Amino acid sequence: MLILCLTPIHQSTYESVMETHVIEQFKEDVFLIQHLSMNDHAYHSLRFNADQGYYSIYDSLHRKTIVKTTLPEGWKIEMLTLPHVVYFNQQGTIRKAGTMRLSTRDVTYKITFPFGTSRMRIEEL
């Protein structure tokens, strides 16, 4: 009986930890692509596939995917004004600013990529 009572608490805790991990990993991936664009070459892109629920870092110069991250089941990417393919210049500045949404089962985040040196802003809606 005790196990049945604790299962929903553990599931909720697991989802919260997983959500934090995915958001932090996304931040690190954005930092990685900025770093690669500044220090390697500006042919790296951050590509979003909303239909299949993943994003990837792609090297156009060498024609290969560096990192592919699949979002957990039930998560959704919605591109608002941000293009599906995002590029940063050699100064680490985004070439075309915009906004997207990332939705979990319980929470929606607005992710803004502004012009300038700021990496991005993530707001919980």
Side-chain angles (χ1 to χ4, degrees), residues 18-45:
M18 181 177 59
E19 184 178 308
T20 300
H21 172 73
V22 171
I23 296 295
E24 290 302 315
Q25 183 62 54
F26 181 71
K27 290 178 187 177
E28 291 297 321
D29 289 342
V30 170
F31 179 72
L32 174 62
I33 190 171
Q34 284 181 304
H35 179 76
L36 289 171
S37 296
M38 290 178 353
N39 295 314
D40 193 12
H41 57 78
Y43 296 101
H44 293 96
S45 59

Side-chain angles (χ1 to χ4, degrees), residues 2-117:
L2 183 59
I3 293 173
L4 293 175
C5 293
L6 294 177
T7 302
I9 294 171
H10 287 294
Q11 182 66 24
S12 172
T13 302
Y14 170 76
E15 288 177 4
S16 176
V17 168
M18 181 177 59
E19 184 178 308
T20 300
H21 172 73
V22 171
I23 296 295
E24 290 302 315
Q25 183 62 54
F26 181 71
K27 290 178 187 177
E28 291 297 321
D29 289 342
V30 170
F31 179 72
L32 174 62
I33 190 171
Q34 284 181 304
H35 179 76
L36 289 171
S37 296
M38 290 178 353
N39 295 314
D40 193 12
H41 57 78
Y43 296 101
H44 293 96
S45 59
L46 182 60
R47 297 176 175 216
F48 295 95
N49 188 319
D51 294 335
Q52 295 184 13
Y54 73 85
Y55 67 89
S56 61
I57 295 175
Y58 186 76
D59 182 341
S60 299
L61 184 64
H62 298 104
R63 295 187 177 126
K64 66 178 183 176
T65 299
I66 298 170
V67 176
K68 179 181 175 185
T69 302
T70 302
L71 297 175
E73 189 176 322
W75 287 45
K76 180 180 159 190
I77 300 170
E78 183 182 358
M79 308 311 285
L80 301 174
T81 59
L82 191 69
H84 287 278
V85 180
V86 176
Y87 295 95
F88 292 88
N89 64 25
Q90 289 181 324
Q91 288 75 40
T93 304
I94 193 165
R95 290 188 187 171
K96 186 173 181 188
T99 303
M100 63 179 278
R101 280 194 196 121
L102 182 61
S103 301
T104 71
R105 294 174 193 229
D106 302 319
V107 181
T108 298
Y109 296 94
K110 178 181 172 187
I111 302 173
T112 304
F113 289 84
F115 282 115
T117 58

